[in-house]
Amino acid sequence: MARGTVRGHRVVGAGLLLLLASAGCGSPAGDSGDGGATAAPPVRDKGPVCVGEAPADGVRVLRGGGFRLPGGTGVQYAGASADGSSRTATLREGPRYEEGQREWKVAVGARLPLAGHAYTVRQVCSYRVVLEAASARDASALAEAPASMTSTGGEADAGLCFTTNRAVLKAASDGFPAEGESLSLVGNGGVRRFPTGLSLSLTVSYLDAEAGTAGIAANCAAVPVAAYEELRVGDPLELGGVLFEVTDVTEAVVRLTRPAAPRP
């Protein structure tokens, strides 16, 4: 995919290591209003932003990323479509891309069979899909507390990255700026550390100040968990179970603000 340019130069890379929980799972602290379709869709997306209701213990699969599920399987949010009144998502089997994986185009209410496990699509948003485990056993496995809250890096962090456990999600939420405050992701590299939470690696994949667009990717436990492209001011995205809104795109930085009144 083509990357943007700033003053004639391509700006890519820009790693940012955050000590916080994985994107793609859980509900941010204080986010209890998982409602239906919402207004103000992202630029060049006919919307609505979200369709359906997200259960508090639902599995958040972020746009462009994957999520490991119980039983050694996983799922990716590979593509999205909206026509102004409805929204669908293309889901792909497996936590990361490989040749020959099955894909499904789904709407709210669809049942997803994954390696002998079943999930129901409860919410489809421009920035995430929320699934609900059909079996109590899978729901319990997803909510299981990790053996340790200390990140060791790599695949060993899977229990911290792919979970609906409330304690892990709270640690992630507490590690981010408070509601109403901003997080700046520098486009020329650098490391930012938070006092609480677990390991999530964020990358500003490109900046195009002239077009006002940016890309942000996230990885956790050796899995790409999000890849937001063509982000513009006003667009929503989720990181570590916490909702943000793009509030500025410059030649040097992408600024994300945590809304005081989060979207669904």
Side-chain angles (χ1 to χ4, degrees):
M1 182 176 292
R3 295 291 185 247
T5 59
V6 175
R7 291 183 177 172
H9 299 280
R10 193 166 85 168
V11 180
V12 297
L16 177 70
L17 179 64
L18 305 183
L19 298 183
L20 34 88
S22 164
C25 52
S27 174
D31 182 3
S32 57
D34 283 292
T38 59
V43 175
R44 293 186 298 181
D45 186 313
K46 294 180 180 180
V49 173
C50 290
V51 173
E53 298 184 356
D57 59 350
V59 174
R60 269 70 168 169
V61 186
L62 302 187
R63 180 76 173 268
F67 191 101
R68 286 191 182 276
L69 294 166
T73 185
V75 63
Q76 303 157 61
Y77 184 180
S81 178
D83 61 11
S85 60
S86 63
R87 179 172 284 282
T88 61
T90 299
L91 301 183
R92 182 186 297 135
E93 187 174 23
R96 61 169 68 87
Y97 177 76
E98 295 177 10
E99 291 285 345
Q101 291 173 321
R102 291 187 297 171
E103 290 189 351
W104 302 266
K105 188 173 182 178
V106 301
V108 170
R111 192 172 175 89
L112 197 67
L114 291 163
H117 301 255
Y119 297 83
T120 301
V121 178
R122 294 302 184 195
Q123 188 183 57
V124 178
C125 297
S126 62
Y127 56 93
R128 74 179 184 196
V129 170
V130 183
L131 309 178
E132 185 175 43
S135 76
R137 176 176 294 182
D138 285 342
S140 178
L142 285 161
E144 186 175 350
S148 171
M149 291 285 281
T150 301
S151 170
T152 57
E155 294 186 4
D157 281 348
L160 303 173
C161 297
F162 309 111
T163 181
T164 61
N165 181 267
R166 300 285 179 95
V168 174
L169 301 175
K170 185 179 186 303
S173 178
D174 290 346
F176 280 116
E179 292 180 0
E181 296 184 358
S182 297
L183 168 66
S184 294
L185 308 185
V186 180
N188 63 356
V191 174
R192 175 154 184 170
R193 298 182 182 276
F194 289 79
T196 60
L198 306 162
S199 94
L200 170 67
S201 174
L202 294 184
T203 302
V204 176
S205 52
Y206 76 92
L207 285 172
D208 188 338
E210 183 176 350
T213 63
I216 295 175
N219 287 266
C220 197
V223 171
V225 293
Y228 294 107
E229 298 286 344
E230 299 294 320
L231 288 170
R232 298 172 182 268
V233 170
D235 284 355
L237 68 154
E238 188 172 311
L239 299 168
V242 176
L243 188 67
F244 289 91
E245 183 176 288
V246 179
T247 49
D248 199 12
V249 177
T250 74
E251 294 180 353
V253 70
V254 182
R255 186 164 291 106
L256 309 177
T257 298
R258 186 173 178 178
R263 294 174 189 255

